[in-house]
Amino acid sequence: MNGTRPSPEALLKAARAEARGKLKILLGAAPGVGKTFEMLREGADLLRGGADVVIGVVETHGRAETGALVAPFEVLPRRTVRHGVHALVEFDLDGMLARRPQVALIDEFAHSNAPGCRHAKRWQDVEELRDAGIDVITTLNIQHVESLNDVVAGFTHVRVRETVPDACLEDAEIEVVDLPPDELIARLKAGKVYVPHEASRALQHFFSRANLSALRELALRRAAQAVDRQMLDQLQASGAAGQFAAGERIVVAIGERAGGEQLVRSAKRLADSCNAPWSVVTVETPQSATLDAAARQRIAAALELGTVLGAAIATIPAVDVATGLADYARELRATTLVLGRSHRPRGFGARRGVVLERLARDLAEVTLHLVPLDPARHERIRTLRQPLPWTGFGAGMLATALTTLACVLLQRWIGSKPVDLLYIVPVVAVATRYGLRSALLTSVMAALAYNFFFLPPLYQFTISDPQNLVTFLVLTATGILVANLAGRLRRGERTGARVAIENAAIAGFGQQLASVSDAAGTAGIVAAAVHELLGARTMVLMREDGVLRAVAGEPAIEELGAIDDAAAGWVFERGEVSGRGSGTLNASDWQFHPLASALGVHAVLALSKADASVPLAPAQRTLFTTLKGQAALAFERIRLEREMRDLAVLRQRDELRAALLSSIGHDLRTPLAAVVAASGELAAISPDSPALQTLLVEARRLRRFFDDLIEMTRIEAGALEVRSEPVDLTDAVTTAAHDLRAELGARRLVLEVPPALPLVLADPRLLHHILINLVGNAAKFSPPRSAITLRGERLSEGVRLLVLDEGPGLPPGEAAQLFERFTRASGSDRTGGSGLGLAIVKGFASAMGLAVEAANRTGGGAQFAITWPADLIRKGSA
């Protein structure tokens, strides 16, 4: 851990990388930044340098300047893959392996291959090329990185289905091809990225300035993380010393004093502000064995909080705190070490001052971040009273007596001068076997025996010769010093051996957890490991069908009583320890612990001892905290995997539904238009026929329903075109009212839109559709002969248009959900409706940059509000 010996693991990793082809990824924030151009430019440089470079796949997207760069290269023909009636062209992996160039240029790393190819994804083709020793240069957009897929979808509202595992980026050289958002938007408008029709749509959605800035930041951060990780691997392989602070790495040290949780929270805030990895570490010294239960509980609580907040936790053995922290910080290449500082002068006294001085001297390149601890938290640290080692005392007396006898018998041949050295032997032997206190007593007894039997006057505890007095004092001091050193060595050896055994057990536990992918199997591994390592009866409880049930137990699942069930339920609901030895439901025979992570409580871990004692000894708390943290993360992983599988099913269902709706909408649109036209002609011929009038109204309503289906699929596909222009709201509401006369029936439509309202920017067609849907929705929920009001208002921050009805209003808590697809308010089945109208309103409004909200009116009824912000208002009035 001194930073001078190369890491064997890093050397093996480097050796494996050398045996494969190298991978260079040109990473971009979005299409159009110039990744393919840069790939071809780098390939041309290699070609001019004499390298054998072959193009496997390049997508020019019709750009002339990119196509011109392809000319100097050998381009590998693509293979044709039959898929149904279609013939698809894909990268020829076998052809590239047979050609075996030095460097292969392969565009679009995240591409999905056609069915029938050897691999489903192009990145798998690249991995096979690398296994064959071929270097690859490829391109990738940041939204295709698997771990960032959800993050990108969160602000772009576009989820890509083609992703690349993060592991592919671990040993790759990553170069960011960067372009400022304004320049990329200018390229887009100039038609250098997409054709003009597609470019206009892209500018209104994915290629907004805010989206491009966020994607650019993600690309730069991801590249920086990769560079930092590769630098650490290189440093570990070379054994070079130093911190190499290219990226922040934070370590927080906790001890037995109160305030550890405060330290962990401060370090979490610091790590979040720096976007840095962080670790929580506690140092096990020989003195740690004497800590009382309260001190060990504080350490365990701080480690547990670190696990919940996402830190890596570690327990390291060392002869003292300063040495352990310094070694760990060097090994981790930490840039910041977070420590607690007491306000009390005595709390920050000589001993702690020495620790800080040593850390400041030994870690000159590390920032020491001191966190002031709450004075109210300070309390006296108590240590366990150790029983007197009578066996060690007896052994020391016996060893001293035997040494004295041996010296008396040997004095005839060796004389009296080397006798004082022989008395060191029992001191070292007793210190090694029985510890410091027994060795100290032995050293005193050895000095007295030497004085009594070998220093004149003999057989008296007096010393007449000053020279002999010096010899006696030196022997006494030497014995005490040797006893102290041997005792510390023994304690350190015991601590190191215990920590090594615990770390090996934790590593094995982690490997077992990684080998299972179901909750029941994980619960069985957790129960077995905790039972074996802690010697307690163990059960794991999980919620099934709303009831907590034991799903695994070691040595067996046992029946829980009413108090036990209540204690387990308390833990699952509140995430706090309960049961035996806790402050809640202490009458339970079991002690219950939450297996919790940032996502909440996943399961409950129950511990019990056969003798009804407290299940966890103070010395076991740190180990238990580590086991509990790993178990919680395993359950979290399984939960996330299950949610991802459910999400994939939902995504496939949505895609199927969208395809079905699009097909139905387009196939029925033409015949439905003919039905509406014929109904109109018949109704005009016989205006007094109620049946024909009903036919016309219902045919128009059915056409509007299919129009909704088509518009919804366009919104979801991102194919909605917005052509904004100045619009007079008075004309817009008048036109909508005219088209809804038949739908309104006996209901009155009240128009309260002042002519003095300023013009607003909107797409007239989309705005008309919004008003038709909102007024039609109000008519469905309003009683006959009631009023529906369209009201325009000038606000300080814009213009608002309200649609007000006198119906029953909105059910409590359902206002936000009304704008979701296929959602209808409670009780709306009696009025019909597809559940798409308000979703289309929301989609159209968002596309135009408008806000739409729903709420209940004071006095009854519902209101829907469309708001134009100030930047969409034209100065002046209509």
Side-chain angles (χ1 to χ4, degrees):
M1 297 177 64
N2 58 6
T4 60
R5 186 175 68 88
S7 166
E9 293 80 4
L11 289 173
L12 286 173
K13 185 176 181 180
R16 287 193 295 267
E18 284 296 324
R20 306 181 73 213
K22 295 180 174 57
L23 173 64
K24 182 170 186 178
I25 297 176
L26 300 173
L27 183 66
V33 297
K35 301 181 299 298
T36 303
F37 187 93
E38 180 64 19
M39 179 183 72
L40 293 172
R41 190 195 62 78
E42 290 198 19
D45 290 343
L46 293 172
L47 199 62
R48 284 192 293 270
D52 182 14
V53 183
V54 174
I55 292 179
V57 178
V58 64
E59 302 290 350
T60 63
H61 300 288
R63 302 167 194 152
E65 65 273 21
T66 305
L69 293 177
V70 177
F73 293 94
E74 175 188 347
V75 180
L76 187 75
R78 299 203 202 181
R79 59 174 296 210
T80 301
V81 180
R82 304 296 303 183
H83 181 57
V85 298
H86 302 286
L88 306 175
V89 290
E90 289 290 353
F91 168 60
D92 187 359
L93 174 60
D94 291 326
M96 185 65 77
L97 290 171
R99 172 62 178 77
R100 201 175 182 81
Q102 289 178 280
V103 182
L105 306 183
I106 300 179
D107 210 356
E108 297 188 356
F109 193 37
H111 172 77
S112 294
N113 293 330
C117 295
R118 180 153 72 243
H119 299 301
K121 301 290 184 179
R122 184 167 290 167
W123 63 263
Q124 295 172 310
D125 295 340
V126 170
E127 289 297 300
E128 186 169 343
L129 291 178
R130 294 183 65 200
D131 289 338
I134 301 173
D135 295 344
V136 177
I137 302 177
T138 187
T139 63
L140 180 69
N141 285 326
I142 190 63
Q143 64 265 31
H144 295 285
V145 178
E146 178 64 44
S147 63
L148 299 177
N149 185 256
D150 291 336
V151 177
V152 174
F155 60 82
T156 64
H157 308 294
V158 176
R159 184 180 296 277
V160 297
R161 289 188 287 271
E162 296 178 326
T163 59
V164 172
D166 289 61
C168 293
L169 281 66
E170 287 185 357
D171 61 344
E173 178 188 351
I174 297 178
E175 178 182 328
V176 177
V177 182
D178 189 31
L179 196 65
D182 290 338
E183 293 185 25
L184 180 55
I185 291 173
R187 283 175 51 82
L188 195 68
K189 290 180 177 178
K192 295 182 179 180
V193 180
Y194 297 123
V195 295
H197 175 73
E198 294 178 346
S200 175
R201 185 171 70 243
L203 281 170
Q204 297 163 5
H205 296 88
F206 187 85
F207 280 79
S208 68
R209 184 174 284 101
N211 283 354
L212 292 177
S213 297
L215 290 168
R216 187 186 187 199
E217 180 181 358
L218 282 177
L220 293 172
R221 285 186 181 276
R222 186 64 182 81
Q225 290 173 4
V227 170
D228 186 63
R229 182 178 58 253
Q230 290 167 8
M231 180 197 69
L232 290 179
D233 290 341
Q234 293 166 3
L235 292 175
Q236 290 173 356
S238 65
Q243 303 312 114
F244 293 84
E248 294 293 327
R249 291 178 289 276
I250 298 171
V251 173
V252 54
I254 59 169
E256 67 275 6
R257 293 187 177 275
E261 295 181 59
Q262 180 185 349
L263 272 176
V264 171
R265 293 188 183 96
S266 296
K268 168 64 173 174
R269 292 192 296 269
L270 181 62
D272 286 346
S273 66
C274 301
N275 193 30
W278 63 298
S279 305
V280 180
V281 61
T282 182
V283 181
E284 284 270 359
T285 65
Q287 289 73 29
S288 299
T290 64
L291 295 178
D292 66 354
R296 291 184 177 276
Q297 177 59 33
R298 286 191 290 269
I299 295 174
L303 292 175
E304 182 174 358
L305 179 61
T307 300
V308 172
L309 296 180
I313 63 172
T315 301
I316 55 175
V319 294
D320 57 67
V321 172
T323 301
L325 289 179
D327 288 345
Y328 185 76
R330 290 192 196 99
E331 181 185 30
L332 205 64
R333 311 281 175 169
T335 59
T336 302
L337 179 60
V338 181
L339 303 166
R341 176 172 183 173
S342 168
H343 289 287
R344 300 185 310 172
R346 287 190 303 169
F348 196 67
R351 184 173 67 86
R352 187 168 298 183
V354 170
V355 172
L356 283 179
E357 288 178 5
R358 287 185 56 189
L359 289 174
R361 182 180 67 250
D362 297 342
L363 301 174
E365 298 177 353
V366 177
T367 301
L368 299 183
H369 185 88
L370 301 183
V371 178
L373 299 179
D374 185 358
R377 294 179 178 270
H378 297 306
E379 55 186 83
R380 184 179 179 184
I381 302 300
R382 296 177 173 85
T383 58
L384 297 174
R385 294 190 62 182
Q386 301 293 323
L388 292 176
W390 297 111
T391 303
F393 289 167
M397 295 171 62
L398 179 60
T400 303
L402 292 176
T403 302
T404 302
L405 178 61
C407 290
V408 170
L409 295 176
L410 294 173
Q411 188 177 16
R412 180 183 307 173
W413 293 280
I414 65 174
S416 59
K417 288 185 178 181
V419 169
D420 52 350
L421 297 178
L422 294 177
Y423 274 108
I424 298 298
V425 175
V427 176
V428 174
V430 172
T432 304
R433 180 66 179 84
Y434 296 102
L436 177 61
R437 289 191 293 176
S438 299
L440 289 175
L441 177 63
T442 303
S443 66
V444 172
M445 292 177 59
L448 293 176
Y450 176 67
N451 175 34
F452 190 81
F453 289 102
F454 299 101
L455 292 181
L458 299 178
Y459 313 120
Q460 296 182 23
F461 290 107
T462 57
I463 302 174
S464 59
D465 188 346
Q467 184 177 356
N468 292 336
L469 177 61
V470 173
T471 303
F472 172 78
L473 294 177
V474 169
L475 175 61
T476 304
T478 303
I480 293 174
L481 178 61
V482 169
N484 185 50
L485 292 177
R488 289 179 60 183
L489 180 62
R490 177 174 177 271
R491 292 196 304 270
E493 180 185 0
R494 285 187 172 182
T495 302
R498 179 176 58 80
V499 172
I501 293 172
E502 291 180 355
N503 288 340
I506 292 169
F509 180 58
Q511 292 176 348
Q512 287 181 305
L513 290 177
S515 65
V516 295
S517 58
D518 64 293
T522 300
I525 290 173
V526 171
V530 173
H531 171 71
E532 179 182 355
L533 295 175
L534 303 181
R537 295 182 297 170
T538 308
M539 287 196 298
V540 177
L541 294 82
M542 299 184 67
R543 176 160 286 181
E544 297 178 351
D545 301 325
V547 179
L548 270 179
R549 294 189 177 92
V551 296
E554 196 68 34
I557 295 178
E558 301 183 25
E559 190 72 25
L560 295 179
I563 297 179
D564 301 328
D565 288 334
W570 173 279
V571 173
F572 196 88
E573 296 297 332
R574 297 176 177 262
E576 301 173 358
V577 179
S578 71
R580 174 73 65 186
S582 70
T584 305
L585 297 172
N586 194 32
S588 172
D589 293 333
W590 294 78
Q591 187 179 86
F592 298 92
H593 294 263
L595 296 179
S597 68
L599 298 182
V601 179
H602 306 285
V604 176
L605 182 61
L607 305 175
S608 177
K609 283 291 183 70
D611 58 1
S613 61
V614 176
L616 286 176
Q620 294 176 321
R621 290 192 176 277
T622 302
L623 173 61
F624 176 69
T625 299
T626 305
L627 296 174
K628 189 169 65 168
Q630 286 202 358
L633 291 177
F635 279 109
E636 181 185 59
R637 172 180 59 82
I638 290 171
R639 175 178 171 180
L640 291 175
E641 289 175 352
R642 183 176 64 250
E643 290 177 354
M644 287 299 295
R645 288 193 296 269
D646 294 342
L647 183 62
V649 172
L650 290 175
R651 190 180 301 165
Q652 292 175 353
R653 188 181 303 167
D654 281 348
E655 291 173 356
L656 178 61
R657 181 167 59 184
L660 180 62
L661 292 179
S662 178
S663 176
I664 292 175
H666 285 86
D667 291 346
L668 296 183
R669 193 172 193 177
T670 300
L672 187 58
V675 170
V676 173
S679 301
E681 292 178 2
L682 292 174
I685 295 173
S686 304
D688 298 329
S689 172
L692 291 177
Q693 295 298 327
T694 301
L695 175 63
L696 178 61
V697 170
E698 292 301 320
R700 287 174 174 171
R701 190 170 71 86
L702 186 59
R703 181 179 63 181
R704 200 155 50 244
F705 168 68
F706 279 104
D707 286 344
D708 286 348
L709 289 178
I710 294 174
E711 296 297 347
M712 194 72 244
T713 56
R714 291 173 60 203
I715 291 173
E716 293 178 341
L720 193 63
E721 299 179 28
V722 179
R723 296 185 175 90
S724 295
E725 61 184 59
V727 174
D728 184 353
L729 288 181
T730 305
D731 294 340
V733 298
T734 302
T735 303
H738 180 271
D739 291 347
L740 284 167
R741 286 175 302 171
E743 296 252 352
L744 292 173
R747 301 172 185 83
R748 293 178 292 111
L749 186 62
V750 181
L751 305 181
E752 298 180 358
V753 181
L757 280 180
L759 299 177
V760 297
L761 288 178
D763 185 315
R765 182 180 61 86
L766 300 184
L767 179 59
H768 181 74
H769 210 133
I770 288 175
L771 294 176
I772 291 291
N773 280 354
L774 288 180
V775 175
N777 179 77
K780 286 192 297 183
F781 288 90
S782 299
R785 306 186 190 286
S786 63
I788 298 174
T789 303
L790 283 167
R791 179 180 300 161
E793 299 176 343
R794 185 70 165 97
L795 306 176
S796 59
E797 65 276 9
V799 171
R800 182 170 64 181
L801 184 63
L802 297 170
V803 179
L804 313 172
D805 65 45
E806 297 177 356
L810 306 177
E814 292 191 14
Q817 287 77 19
L818 288 177
F819 295 103
E820 301 294 332
R821 292 177 302 164
F822 303 103
T823 300
R824 291 177 288 186
S826 300
S828 64
D829 287 343
R830 51 190 163 87
T831 59
S834 64
L836 286 174
L838 293 182
I840 291 172
V841 168
K842 180 72 172 179
F844 284 1
S846 299
M848 292 188 291
L850 312 181
V852 59
E853 299 173 323
N856 282 318
R857 299 175 61 188
T858 303
Q863 73 172 33
F864 291 84
I866 310 168
T867 304
W868 280 261
D871 58 341
L872 295 181
I873 306 299
R874 291 290 300 268
K875 293 184 178 180
S877 63

